[in-house]
Amino acid sequence: MTTGGEEHPVLVVDFGAQYAQLIARRVREAGVYSEIVPHTITAAEVKARNPAGIVLSGGPSSVYEEGSPELDPDVLELGVPTLGICYGFQVMAQQLGGEVAPTGVREYGSTTVRLTRPDGAPGAPGGVLLAGQPAEQTAWMSHGDSVVTAPEGFEVLASSDATPVAAFASDARKLYGVQWHPEVKHSPYGQRVIENFLHGAAGIPGEWNSGNVIAEQVERIRAQLGGGKAICGLSGGVDSAVAAALVHKAVGDQLVCVFVDHGLLRAGEREQVEQDYVAATGIRLVTIDAAEQFLTALAGVTDPEQKRKIIGREFIRTFEQAQAELVAESAADGDPIRFLVQGTLYPDVVESGGGTGTANIKSHHNVGGLPEDLQFELVEPLRMLFKDEVRAIGRELGLPEAIVGRQPFPGPGLGIRIVGEVTAARLELLRKADAIARSELTAAGLDGEIWQCPVVLLADVRSVGVQGDGRSYGHPIVLRPVSSEDAMTADWTRLPYEVLARISTRITNEVAGVNRVVLDVTSKPPGTIEWE
């Protein structure tokens, strides 16, 4: 790739902020490749990465407290254009001789920011970083400390009622910072700030796109596999479908796709994979019916982390079985299948503790749930990508919209949408409720307005109801419609009441054992999209 590609990434230094991943996503939206690195990275390690730019993320700490996250001071002396955000802004200020202190006034949420310019200074207020923006604007703040004095040689670009130095810049040193969060949509001009830094201050062209990703990944896949054979587990979802299409583009018939019907699928998904996807790609597909195997392994298990790990383990064991059968089938060429293709995405890695500076929120079956004695070498062409980037790549590869536009569905399937033990009867109940919810959302034309709508069965909860003129004691079904851009943050979708009413009426009338439908109105954070 050219500048801004993976050989010259923008490094997002993570100081423990939930939004570090969102910053990386916004950088990519500007056509520049980005990766997240820990705040413990040394200047030598940064230099070795040859970055085109650096962004210092926010974080929950105070820079003057003992034990707070620090940055190798030499990083700011490398001459690499750097943007500090919130805590990263304060780290930059303190290390370069400015003053950071609690002001006694906290700013949380929408805050009015005013762009400034020293008296008599040439140019528009706000300098290069805030160019093209109104002199007074709303920005999203989340801080109790403020930069009281900018470092020597830095120009103050903005202030607010409680923050005398809300943004600063040193064009000579290519160091910039803002106190607010430009990465969130609540800062209307936030993306302009990020683009001004990348394209204006750092001079990075916006040339990173799905076409570049495809070309680079095809080259990497060919180098990794050589003449070796690979299998890919197709779930019917976007991630595995695009990963398989990428690998197939790179190595053709060296790839065989394996579809595991683990009994945790939604209604009609097996048919979609066996018919629609194969027709669209021409990929060879082997289907394995393993429902009994998975149900046996999950018997008596209620802990969600255990469920995920068990499902991940059984997936791999099933693939190993498929490998043995496929190798035996092609014994004539004596070429074993050594590679396993997975549709792992960046949020999967981050939430499983693979992102630096982040907590292990939950183990994804294809990351934290993999057994230590894995017999395959993994091929993960989407590992550093977000969901909407994957969709763009799928469209570029010519996959049909029915597959590319499909709402996300977790690899562990309905197994993590049953809060409690997974049984065949509970799966059938949930499958019927899910099919009703999906059909009504589609009929209402709402598929494009929501990220996804998990339908959850609270299997260990019962409530009293009245059905058929008699008392019932049934399970509640939870509807979890959410809107999101990249699954790192999400908000509940305000569905029309009449649609919710139809879904509720149909489920309680048509699904035996359910007498109550409830709506989850929790954002992410604090909740995750899935219940388990």
Side-chain angles (χ1 to χ4, degrees):
M1 288 188 189
T2 56
T3 300
E6 294 190 32
E7 73 275 20
H8 296 294
V10 166
L11 300 181
V12 177
V13 179
D14 186 1
F15 286 102
Q18 179 67 26
Y19 291 139
Q21 296 78 35
L22 189 54
I23 295 171
R25 182 68 197 89
R26 297 297 180 231
V27 172
R28 295 187 188 188
E29 282 184 2
V32 178
Y33 181 74
S34 62
E35 289 185 17
I36 299 171
V37 297
H39 68 87
T40 53
I41 192 170
T42 66
E45 291 169 334
V46 170
K47 186 176 181 179
R49 296 293 304 275
N50 194 22
I54 299 170
V55 181
L56 309 179
S57 85
S61 304
S62 294
V63 295
Y64 48 77
E65 290 181 347
E66 184 177 353
S68 60
E70 298 179 347
L71 177 72
D72 182 344
D74 290 339
V75 169
L76 300 178
E77 305 300 330
L78 293 174
V80 178
T82 302
L83 171 67
I85 293 175
C86 194
Y87 182 85
F89 169 61
Q90 295 174 6
V91 167
M92 181 185 293
Q94 184 186 63
Q95 289 192 353
L96 296 176
E99 181 184 356
V100 179
T103 60
V105 179
R106 297 186 176 189
E107 289 181 316
Y108 293 104
S110 295
T111 304
T112 299
V113 173
R114 301 172 186 85
L115 310 193
T116 61
R117 195 83 159 155
D119 291 341
V128 174
L129 187 64
L130 305 180
Q133 301 177 40
E136 184 172 297
Q137 60 180 272
T138 298
W140 189 264
M141 295 279 200
S142 181
H143 68 105
D145 302 324
S146 295
V147 176
V148 178
T149 305
E152 184 177 352
F154 278 70
E155 177 185 345
V156 177
L157 302 180
S159 64
S160 70
D161 290 342
T163 306
V165 183
F168 60 39
S170 172
D171 291 325
R173 301 180 66 176
K174 294 190 178 299
L175 299 178
Y176 306 85
V178 293
Q179 180 60 67
W180 62 91
H181 287 273
E183 71 274 18
V184 303
K185 290 298 186 182
H186 301 293
S187 295
Y189 296 92
Q191 187 64 16
R192 178 71 65 85
V193 173
I194 292 172
E195 292 176 357
N196 283 352
F197 166 70
L198 295 170
H199 306 319
I204 308 171
E207 298 177 346
W208 189 79
N209 55 49
S210 60
N212 290 339
V213 173
I214 291 171
E216 179 168 298
Q217 285 301 325
V218 165
E219 183 179 335
R220 288 186 175 186
I221 292 165
R222 288 172 177 165
Q224 181 180 3
L225 269 65
K229 293 185 177 181
I231 60 174
C232 175
L234 280 180
S235 66
V238 179
D239 308 338
S240 62
V242 174
L246 257 179
V247 175
H248 188 257
K249 181 178 178 63
V251 298
D253 291 341
Q254 291 171 233
L255 172 69
V256 177
C257 286
V258 177
F259 174 67
V260 177
D261 185 353
H262 49 24
L264 308 174
L265 300 170
R266 297 180 295 184
E269 291 191 308
R270 177 168 178 165
E271 293 75 15
Q272 182 187 52
V273 173
E274 292 181 322
Q275 298 171 18
D276 299 346
Y277 186 73
V278 172
T281 62
I283 289 176
R284 182 189 173 194
L285 178 67
V286 175
T287 299
I288 299 176
D289 191 338
E292 185 175 346
Q293 172 186 336
F294 278 77
L295 281 174
T296 299
L298 290 168
V301 178
T302 59
D303 179 75
E305 278 295 280
Q306 281 298 104
K307 286 183 188 178
R308 287 179 175 273
K309 291 181 182 296
I310 288 170
I311 293 169
R313 181 193 69 207
E314 294 304 316
F315 256 102
I316 297 302
R317 296 300 178 235
T318 305
F319 288 139
E320 289 174 340
Q321 178 184 349
Q323 177 202 34
E325 294 174 357
L326 290 168
V327 167
E329 176 187 300
S330 58
D333 59 31
D335 189 8
I337 298 174
R338 297 187 296 109
F339 299 95
L340 172 62
V341 180
Q342 291 204 139
T344 308
L345 303 191
Y346 205 20
D348 299 340
V349 176
V350 170
E351 290 196 342
S352 295
T356 55
T358 59
N360 186 342
I361 298 171
K362 59 185 177 184
S363 294
H364 288 260
H365 76 285
N366 53 357
V367 184
L370 296 177
E372 295 181 0
D373 59 341
L374 180 67
Q375 300 299 307
F376 301 102
E377 181 179 335
L378 291 179
V379 181
E380 299 177 303
L382 312 178
R383 187 179 177 87
M384 299 304 292
L385 300 178
F386 291 94
K387 178 74 74 173
D388 56 336
E389 294 171 330
V390 172
R391 294 189 195 279
I393 290 170
R395 293 184 177 100
E396 189 82 16
L397 290 169
L399 295 183
E401 190 62 30
I403 294 175
V404 177
R406 181 177 183 263
Q407 292 180 10
F409 185 60
L414 298 180
I416 57 166
R417 290 185 178 175
I418 295 176
V419 180
E421 182 184 6
V422 179
T423 67
R426 289 174 173 180
L427 283 166
E428 187 59 26
L429 184 156
L430 179 56
R431 197 172 283 119
K432 290 178 179 178
D434 176 87
I436 290 171
R438 285 192 290 148
S439 67
E440 289 295 339
L441 290 173
T442 299
L446 295 171
D447 287 342
E449 296 185 22
I450 62 174
W451 174 264
Q452 61 174 308
C453 184
V455 178
V456 181
L457 170 64
L458 303 185
D460 293 335
V461 176
R462 287 179 179 267
S463 65
V464 175
V466 178
Q467 291 175 299
D469 295 326
R471 177 185 184 276
S472 67
Y473 194 50
H475 298 288
I477 285 287
V478 181
L479 303 180
R480 173 74 166 135
V482 294
S483 300
S484 180
E485 291 185 329
D486 49 31
M488 297 308 304
T489 60
D491 194 12
W492 68 280
T493 306
R494 278 65 169 174
L495 296 178
Y497 289 154
E498 58 271 20
V499 175
L500 291 171
R502 283 198 300 271
I503 293 174
S504 177
T505 299
R506 286 194 59 193
I507 289 177
T508 53
N509 285 345
E510 299 175 28
V511 183
V514 175
N515 65 357
R516 196 177 296 270
V517 175
V518 300
L519 179 66
D520 183 344
V521 295
T522 312
S523 62
K524 176 186 179 180
T528 56
I529 291 177
E530 299 291 343
W531 273 51
E532 293 194 339

